[in-house]
Amino acid sequence: MPAASAPVSARAQVLVPPTLAPERTPRPLRRCFSDRPAWQDSLVADLLDRAHEFLDTADNEGALACAEEAARQTPRSLEAQVDRAIALARLSRLEEAREVLTLALALAPQDPEVLEVAADLYVNQLPPSAERTAIGLEYARRGGRTVSPRDRQRAGRLALLEGQALIDLGRSADALRPLASALKHRPDDRATRYEQGVALFELCRFDEARTAFERVLAKDPGHAHAAYHLGLVAERAGDADLASRSFAAATLNDPKSFPDLPVISAAQFAAVVRAKVAALPPDVLAFLGQVPVTTAEMPDVEDLIAESPPLSPTILGLYRGLPLGRDPDGESASRAAAGRIGRGHQARAVVPHGASTSAPPERAIVLYRRNILRSTRHESEL
């Protein structure tokens, strides 16, 4: 998961005079009502029942129409606001969903259902950023503290959301505890088992990760993300046949998320790197005269586990050694250019495994061909 993003900039609000505001087409509400008289005491309850039915059948427009009418009749109805938010999110109207959830949280800041929906929105649906993920994490944790122990399904989902947020924030070791709790509540949940595998993979516990992904695929052979991660594990283990089959299955089941990689050999990749380095500005090249830029297929596990917690196996590149101009005596190389794909936002350099910090380790920048190709869609992006 896939670097930290910049803070969201303030948005200017433009006030439109009522006379100039565009007319809105009324929402069709006929699906929300039966043939009996509309304005009875049970109208709001009927609207919410219909909204639930529409959500269950993925008729999100119908659900939104009913939930909005229920909210118009009783603006403080928490159920109506939650149904509105769910329908809006499913319709990809995410900013509107966030506004509705802000109202719902103002009405009931400790309600586990509202907190679950809010956490899911911030962790899994809004465009990712460290700040949004951190907000989702706090909603999931608050929901976990307030949910009834008897509501095992919701408790499990909230623990899963907490684990997902921690993985996305680069805190996979911390994620294992809530994920284990989620599996106690819902032992057969494939999403939780998959996230557990991802956390173990990020921690370079590859054998345990492989077991988790295989368990997911045993129950859901079409799980593209589990197949992809199993391919990554198999690739590291040198099992080229399993890796090839797993990557092919991921592409077959989810070609949008896992397209075929650009076909660029190791020699071609190295040539591209050399050409791009040669084209860098002179002041940058002056520094690179002291730091060779090399290429490799994938990170060595010794480099990954040289720090605690380990670097992600999906980093795009790594700076080895101490920063230029630093005194090696007592100095730890803990910050430099290391990118990663998909999850978390780590950027660190490492002292090579087994090296002493009392003498300067050899400096180098290493770019990893397979990880970089997996971050591109076309050769032109390389």
Side-chain angles (χ1 to χ4, degrees):
M1 242 174 224
S5 62
V8 178
S9 59
R11 292 174 176 83
Q13 294 184 344
V14 180
L15 300 180
V16 180
T19 56
L20 299 180
E23 294 185 1
R24 292 190 177 185
T25 304
R27 294 189 180 279
L29 295 178
R30 58 182 178 278
R31 287 182 293 173
C32 302
F33 299 95
S34 64
D35 293 332
R36 63 185 177 78
W39 306 108
Q40 293 185 352
D41 292 340
S42 61
L43 173 59
V44 171
D46 288 345
L47 285 167
L48 293 174
D49 286 343
R50 296 303 302 277
H52 294 165
E53 292 173 8
F54 288 136
L55 288 174
D56 289 342
T57 58
D59 185 349
N60 300 311
E61 290 283 3
L64 180 60
C66 293
E68 287 196 332
E69 179 59 23
R72 190 181 71 82
Q73 295 292 323
T74 53
R76 294 180 60 82
S77 168
L78 195 61
E79 188 176 1
Q81 303 299 351
V82 170
D83 287 351
R84 285 180 67 205
I86 293 173
L88 286 165
R90 289 185 181 180
L91 293 167
S92 299
R93 296 163 60 178
L94 299 181
E95 288 302 322
E96 294 173 81
R98 178 158 61 172
E99 290 182 358
V100 173
L101 282 171
T102 300
L103 173 58
L105 287 164
L107 292 170
Q110 303 297 326
D111 185 88
E113 182 181 10
V114 179
L115 290 165
E116 179 191 344
V117 176
D120 183 63
L121 179 72
Y122 277 86
V123 173
N124 292 319
Q125 299 183 66
L126 288 169
S129 74
E131 291 78 11
R132 288 170 178 162
T133 302
I135 292 170
L137 172 61
E138 293 309 315
Y139 285 149
R141 283 177 165 170
R142 190 193 305 171
R145 292 192 296 267
T146 59
V147 67
S148 168
R150 295 186 297 273
D151 192 351
R152 298 180 65 84
Q153 290 297 313
R154 176 159 286 124
R157 293 193 298 268
L158 284 161
L160 168 60
L161 286 163
E162 180 180 350
Q164 288 176 315
L166 288 167
I167 293 171
D168 289 345
L169 290 169
R171 297 168 57 187
S172 294
D174 295 333
L176 291 176
R177 181 194 58 78
L179 292 173
S181 175
L183 285 171
K184 287 182 180 179
H185 291 295
R186 303 194 301 165
D188 297 324
D189 185 61
R190 293 188 292 274
T192 304
R193 186 72 63 185
Y194 165 74
E195 294 293 340
Q196 183 186 56
V198 171
L200 293 166
F201 175 80
E202 293 292 311
L203 294 169
C204 301
R205 293 163 60 174
F206 299 119
D207 290 341
E208 296 169 85
R210 176 172 182 159
T211 299
F213 298 134
E214 288 176 338
R215 291 182 67 175
V216 173
L217 291 166
K219 294 184 177 180
D220 183 4
H223 197 298
H225 287 76
Y228 176 77
H229 270 86
L230 180 59
L232 293 177
V233 172
E235 185 177 62
R236 287 203 147 270
D239 191 340
D241 181 61
L242 177 59
S244 178
R245 287 188 283 111
S246 298
F247 289 138
T251 300
L252 176 66
N253 290 300
D254 190 350
K256 183 177 180 181
S257 297
F258 306 108
D260 291 322
L261 296 185
V263 180
I264 300 174
S265 69
Q268 291 171 322
F269 181 79
V272 171
V273 170
R274 287 194 299 270
K276 292 300 178 182
V277 168
L280 290 171
D283 56 335
V284 176
L285 287 174
F287 283 106
L288 288 180
Q290 306 172 59
V291 184
V293 179
T294 63
T295 61
E297 288 297 282
M298 66 183 76
D300 292 333
V301 69
E302 290 80 9
D303 279 343
L304 298 175
I305 65 175
E307 288 202 358
S308 180
L311 296 173
S312 169
T314 60
I315 55 174
L316 305 183
L318 187 68
Y319 177 91
R320 287 202 187 105
L322 299 178
L324 291 176
R326 293 293 182 89
D327 183 351
D329 294 335
E331 185 74 47
S332 173
S334 61
R335 295 180 182 85
R340 56 164 298 172
I341 306 170
R343 292 177 174 272
H345 314 295
Q346 312 241 0
R348 289 179 286 180
V350 300
V351 175
H353 185 66
S356 169
T357 57
S358 62
E362 180 181 356
R363 295 183 173 100
I365 292 172
V366 188
L367 302 179
Y368 300 114
R369 182 180 73 96
R370 297 189 188 189
N371 288 353
I372 289 177
L373 290 183
R374 290 189 178 112
S375 73
T376 63
R377 300 281 174 152
H378 307 287
E379 185 175 347
S380 60
E381 294 180 358
L382 180 58

